[in-house]
Structure formats: structure tokens, C-alpha cells
Amino acid sequence: MTVTPTPASRAAQILSRPITLNGLTVPNRIVMAPMTRMFSPGGVPGEDVVSYYARRAAAGVGLIVTEGTYVGHESAGGSSRVPRFHGEEQLAGWKKVAEAVHEAGGTIVPQLWHIGTVRKQGQNPHPDAPSHGPSGLRVDGTEDATPMTQADIDAVIGAFAQAAADAERIGFDGVEIHGAHGYLVDQFLWEGTNRRTDAYGGDPVARTTFAAQIVAAVRAAVSPDFPVIFRFSQWKQEAYDARLAETPEELEAILAPLAAAGVDVFHASTRRYWLPEFEGSDLNLAGWTKKITGKPVITVGSVGLDGDFIKAFQGEGSPVKGIDNLLDRLEADEFDMVAVGRALLQDPEWAAKVLADRFDEIKPYDAAALQTLS
């Protein structure tokens, strides 16, 4: 008897396509978005963190971007429970994470992070360290940090480069530089927090100098085929209507130096992926980024859910939402990959269910999921 194979669902046809990012081949187009979880006491990811990421890789996530991890600079972070990407014990924990994800069939990159003036004076893990920013300004405009000297800038650049080298050494598949959401790198990019009058401040191109130097240092610290991802956003944690660029031309002025410095992939962070970025076009921020740079681009923003993620952190749940619009845009090559956040936080099997056309089994998001590492 001849058995006719069941045709793959449209979701599987579009999302299951492999993609090559520099020297890395990712088995499909599904990315786990970075989400801070604070389950790493002493900055060390334990066995629960290992299992958390491995479960999602085993269920079909092609590329995992870890939660933000502090680079080796005393002012990089503000919590002792957020993982660090420096230190012998911390890196040993991350090595186990990478090995488990690989055994489950996935690929993984750490997100390298410095929070800048988001850090309040006196916070752990280094309470005596000053908070740093380009001009000492928080996103809300208050002065609550130390403007960075050239020595400070050089130290932070070196910390990112060292973290990237360590990532390659312990078996990760690439790195992502966190340049979004009002943290340090973004504070240099945005005129609201960057009032410098030296080479690091001024017009959009000058404000990109710090980020481009980090990218160049990371690129030099790793193998040529080791992927470097750069995440950026228009919005900030305390300024959701903030914008780096009001026009495609302004966006190009920011992205071109980063691409030239060595970015292989851009991760364009939006709160709702379906919204157009500029008037006169349906392209979202990821779509414009791909059009401008020609680089592979990851889109993100409330994928699979009907509700803004900001409200999730205020205790609100979100019902499941279809992804037909997302599939249309992926099929049209507006962008290349899609990062999934809360839907994967709630349901480790989200990717497997989507790829098998089991949408009726997908769980709605419950904000209580933030309280556990399931």
C-alpha cells in the first residue's frame, strides 16, 4: 500500500526553512527572544537554567538568544540574580547551557549587556561602583550617573570583546550585542541621553561611534565566520514613544556604520511587529532594516499573542493570536527570522505546536509564568 505523505502546513513550509548567518546554519526561522528571568543567584546559570533553554531547543526553536548577561564591567548590571558572562563559575554554567541546547538540536547565542544609567547607585552585584552613561542622564532626563571618560569607554568596549571571545571559546554559536531599550549602547545612540560634544556625540553617525567600536572589537575578538548580531530599537523602557530615526534616511545613517563594523544580523525590536515604521510604507522596522542594509534581520514584537508585553509585566495575560500576517511577511522576505518572547515563556512547546499545525493546543499567556522557570 502506498502511503501519501501529509503535506506540511503553511507554517511549517515557511518557518522550517534553514538559514545561514555568516558561518552558522540555523535549522529554522524561529528564534527565542531574550527575556530577563533573574533565576541565576550570584550570576551563575544553574541546572534549572540549562533545562529551561534545552526544553525550548528540543521543541523546535532554531536559534536561542539568551536573556541579557552582564559583561565584565563593574557598572554593567544592577542585580545579583541576573546571569553574568564573566567569571569562571558563571562561564562554566553557560558552557553547560550551550552543550544542552546543542544536544537538543538547537543553536544558541548569549546576549551581551550593559545597562548603563538604568542601574541605580548602590545596586548589586557591585554596590560601590558608579553608574555610567554617555552624559550621566537617565532615559527620563534626570542626572543620576557619571558621564563616561575615554578610559571608561575603552573598558566597556574591552569587556564586550572579552565576553564575545569567551562565548566562542566555551562553544556558543555567535553573540548578540544588546543595543536596544534604553540601555548603555542605546543611550549613546539616542540624542535624548547622549549630549556629548566629543567624537561620541552629535549627529546620528557620531552617536553610533560607541556601538560601532564595540562591534568592531567583538568582530576582531572572534573568528571571521562567528556571527555577530546587533539588537536595536526605537523605543526605550521609560520612553515608549522615543525614536532613533524619524525617516529611512536617518535609520540608514545609524545602521550603515554598524554593518560596516561587522554586524552580520540585525535584531529589530518592536513592541508590535505588524505596525509600519514610517509613513508611506507597510514595512516594519525589521523590513526597513533589511531593505537598507541587505543583512539578515530578525523581527520581534507580540508574536502569537494579542496584547502588549508591557502590560504583561503589569500582571496582565494575553490571548493567543494567529500568525498568518507574520507568515505572509516572512514568505515575502520582508525579514528573515522571527523572535518569540512571551508565547515561548508560557509554552515551551510553542514552536513544535506551530510547526505541526497544532495551533488549538497553544496556551494563552499568563503573567504568572514570569514567576517560574518552566
Side-chain angles (χ1 to χ4, degrees):
M1 183 177 71
T2 301
V3 177
T4 303
T6 303
S9 69
R10 180 167 181 252
Q13 289 175 346
I14 294 170
L15 291 170
S16 292
R17 297 171 297 164
I19 184 171
T20 298
L21 311 174
N22 195 346
L24 173 68
T25 297
V26 180
N28 63 45
R29 304 304 177 100
I30 301 174
V31 179
M32 181 177 180
M35 293 172 283
T36 297
R37 301 309 316 276
M38 301 182 73
F39 283 89
S40 297
V44 180
E47 291 301 325
D48 53 348
V49 177
V50 173
S51 298
Y52 167 74
Y53 287 116
R55 270 193 295 275
R56 285 148 178 88
V61 173
L63 174 65
I64 289 172
V65 182
T66 73
E67 61 206 285
T69 66
Y70 299 151
V71 296
H73 184 263
E74 287 191 345
S75 298
S79 170
S80 293
R81 293 186 60 82
V82 169
R84 304 171 212 162
F85 215 82
H86 62 96
E88 184 176 349
E89 190 177 3
Q90 288 81 2
L91 292 176
W94 279 119
K95 187 175 189 294
K96 292 179 181 178
V97 172
E99 290 171 347
V101 167
H102 291 153
E103 288 172 6
T107 61
I108 183 168
V109 302
Q111 187 187 68
L112 307 181
W113 192 24
H114 192 303
I115 70 173
T117 61
V118 173
R119 179 184 182 274
K120 293 181 173 64
Q121 303 287 352
Q123 285 187 322
N124 291 322
H126 299 286
D128 294 332
S131 294
H132 280 324
S135 303
L137 298 173
R138 293 173 56 84
V139 170
D140 63 7
T142 59
E143 292 189 37
D144 191 33
T146 304
M148 293 172 71
T149 65
Q150 186 63 55
D152 296 329
I153 288 171
D154 292 343
V156 170
I157 292 171
F160 273 91
Q162 183 61 56
D166 287 336
E168 184 172 26
R169 176 177 58 83
I170 65 175
F172 278 78
D173 299 299
V175 293
E176 176 171 283
I177 297 166
H178 196 340
H181 306 164
Y183 297 113
L184 181 64
V185 177
D186 194 22
Q187 289 162 16
F188 273 85
L189 294 174
W190 187 46
E191 62 181 350
T193 43
N194 185 345
R195 306 291 175 79
R196 298 177 74 98
T197 57
D198 60 4
Y200 294 95
D203 64 22
V205 174
R207 294 197 305 272
T208 308
T209 302
F210 177 64
Q213 288 182 347
I214 288 176
V215 171
V218 165
R219 179 79 278 159
V222 298
S223 300
D225 61 350
F226 193 70
V228 176
I229 305 170
F230 188 90
R231 196 179 210 211
F232 75 101
S233 67
Q234 299 262 39
W235 64 274
K236 322 299 169 199
Q237 289 284 5
E238 297 174 342
Y240 298 119
D241 58 351
R243 296 178 69 80
L244 293 180
E246 295 290 349
T247 65
E249 291 75 21
E250 290 180 1
L251 183 62
E252 183 173 11
I254 294 164
L255 298 181
L258 298 174
V263 171
D264 297 301
V265 183
F266 285 99
H267 189 171
S269 178
T270 57
R271 294 166 66 194
R272 305 171 187 89
Y273 77 86
W274 56 86
L275 295 181
E277 193 58 41
F278 302 114
E279 289 187 10
S281 170
D282 291 332
L283 292 177
N284 70 1
L285 184 61
W288 275 108
T289 300
K290 183 173 182 180
K291 182 175 181 178
I292 286 169
T293 68
K295 299 283 187 179
V297 181
I298 303 166
T299 197
V300 69
S302 301
V303 172
L305 295 175
D306 189 9
D308 192 283
F309 77 93
I310 298 301
K311 293 181 180 178
F313 291 99
Q314 299 168 348
E316 292 190 19
S318 299
V320 174
K321 181 179 181 178
I323 61 169
D324 286 342
N325 176 265
L326 176 73
L327 297 176
D328 290 342
R329 299 168 87 146
L330 273 167
E331 192 171 32
D333 290 327
E334 179 179 339
F335 37 74
D336 302 279
M337 304 183 78
V338 54
V340 183
R342 286 170 298 145
L344 265 174
L345 186 72
Q346 175 70 46
D347 191 347
E349 299 287 322
W350 186 89
K353 292 174 181 179
V354 167
L355 293 173
D357 204 21
R358 293 156 47 203
F359 287 93
D360 58 331
E361 299 179 28
I362 294 175
K363 301 174 183 178
Y365 174 75
D366 185 335
L370 289 171
Q371 308 307 316
T372 62
L373 200 67
S374 62

